[in-house]
Amino acid sequence: MKAVEQVEFRQVTKVFTAGRRTITALDGVSFTVKQGEFWTIIGPSGSGKTTLLRCLAGFETPTSGEILMAGQKVTGPGRDRMMVFQDLAQLFPWRTVLGNVTFALSLAHPEETLRRRQELARYNLELVGLEDYANLYPHQLSGGMKQRVAIARALGVRPQVLLMDEPFGSLDAITRTTLQSELLRIWAETKVTVVFVTHNIEEALVASDHIVVLARGGKVHALVTNTLPRPRQLDDPRFSRLWQHLHRLLEPAPHIPEPSSSGARGPEALPLAKPATGSASSP
């Protein structure tokens, strides 16, 4: 069965104004995400990764272009998209783990009874392995556990797309690796579409079907398809080759010396990748 186009960016540009200065965060971004896929956005600082996610979430409005969700233009936030942030303080400190997840359900599904909402909350806590911690408060949890609660809360709303802005960036390496595996298990079980922002090439390769490489200034530098078989093995030579390919794409363009007074030309810069045309390609 043909996969449904769930998210579509159509020439999305976002410009911020600060006094007399304008800053282009996204510049003509176009790509399409199909239902159930896992996409990662990667790029250097200042390339517009978080802005892209915020535009998709409906927190920011594109200056030009449009974003479609299942064929409908995104005009603001909606419960069809839920976001998990990097900040470990995104939970309500005065609510228990169960209370945090149940509260989101009460807003998204007010028609459900309290008993039903608690049942759904406990199901999602079990999904992230925290069913035994339902009565604890956020200050009693580790950073990794807090992020699991945030994921459970987001999934409880039953979104079509899960947006994740460097959710494991503040965690230690061991916890990060564990949660990467947990996220992939949850993704496989729920079939939710994921759009994930990271600085980490390894994380992108372990998780993604497709990778959007952004350049500074918010242009799409490349769209890369990850065809490595799951589960991905870090010692697989193909993993290493794809890592090197992405690393080259993320390297800054080489400096081109100014022409000398004698008219001699400096070495010409080679392109890091072919311009993206909206379809993903693998190396």
Side-chain angles (χ1 to χ4, degrees):
M1 186 173 66
K2 187 177 180 180
V4 177
E5 292 183 352
Q6 188 129 60
V7 176
E8 186 176 2
F9 277 71
R10 292 181 176 176
Q11 290 295 311
V12 173
T13 294
K14 178 63 180 179
V15 179
F16 293 101
T17 302
R20 297 182 179 180
R21 184 185 178 196
T22 59
I23 301 170
T24 301
L26 297 174
D27 188 357
V29 171
S30 295
F31 62 92
T32 300
V33 179
K34 293 183 178 179
Q35 187 175 18
E37 290 183 331
F38 197 124
W39 280 65
T40 292
I41 316 299
I42 194 168
S45 295
S47 59
K49 300 184 299 297
T50 295
T51 300
L52 184 152
L53 215 59
R54 289 180 60 82
C55 286
L56 176 52
F59 301 152
E60 301 283 354
T61 301
T63 306
S64 64
E66 60 182 1
I67 303 170
L68 304 181
M69 272 286 301
Q72 300 297 312
K73 185 176 179 179
V74 172
T75 58
R79 68 184 191 190
D80 56 349
R81 290 149 285 141
M82 289 298 293
M83 194 159 173
V84 177
F85 301 90
Q86 179 180 0
D87 189 356
L88 298 180
Q90 58 189 300
L91 302 178
F92 298 122
W94 60 88
R95 292 183 181 271
T96 63
V97 166
L98 181 64
N100 267 277
V101 180
T102 305
F103 179 73
L105 287 168
S106 69
L107 297 178
H109 303 287
E111 73 283 358
E112 301 283 8
T113 65
L114 175 60
R115 180 176 179 180
R116 176 58 180 160
R117 290 197 296 267
Q118 289 182 339
E119 287 176 354
L120 290 170
R122 290 185 185 280
Y123 167 79
N124 283 284
L125 287 175
E126 184 177 354
L127 194 64
V128 299
L130 290 180
E131 63 272 23
D132 294 334
Y133 298 86
N135 295 321
L136 294 186
Y137 286 86
H139 73 273
Q140 297 172 307
L141 305 177
S142 68
M145 294 168 76
K146 290 177 182 177
Q147 290 303 76
R148 290 185 192 211
V149 176
I151 293 170
R153 183 172 63 181
L155 290 174
V157 178
R158 291 173 285 194
Q160 296 176 29
V161 181
L162 182 62
L163 310 176
M164 310 190 79
D165 189 7
E166 299 195 67
F168 310 142
S170 300
L171 304 176
D172 64 86
I174 294 175
T175 303
R176 183 180 191 134
T177 300
T178 300
L179 287 187
Q180 286 169 0
S181 299
E182 287 293 297
L183 176 61
L184 290 174
R185 177 185 58 79
I186 292 166
W187 171 66
E189 288 186 29
T190 62
K191 309 299 183 187
V192 67
T193 304
V194 178
V195 181
F196 187 102
V197 163
T198 184
H199 279 96
N200 191 299
I201 297 175
E202 181 180 297
E203 187 168 61
L205 290 177
V206 166
S208 312
D209 297 311
H210 303 280
I211 300 166
V212 180
V213 182
L214 292 178
R216 283 192 175 88
K219 285 184 176 291
V220 175
H221 189 36
L223 299 176
V224 178
T225 298
N226 185 357
T227 59
L228 295 174
R230 295 182 183 274
R232 275 73 189 259
Q233 303 297 326
L234 273 61
D235 58 355
D236 185 335
R238 294 169 296 179
F239 189 101
S240 178
R241 286 195 295 271
L242 193 50
W243 191 98
Q244 292 290 343
H245 176 65
L246 286 173
H247 188 268
R248 286 193 297 270
L249 291 174
L250 290 167
E251 287 178 339
H255 174 69
I256 304 175
E258 293 292 330
S260 67
S261 58
S262 64
R265 297 177 62 189
E268 295 188 7
L270 297 176
L272 293 179
K274 294 180 180 179
T277 59
S279 58
S281 61
S282 57

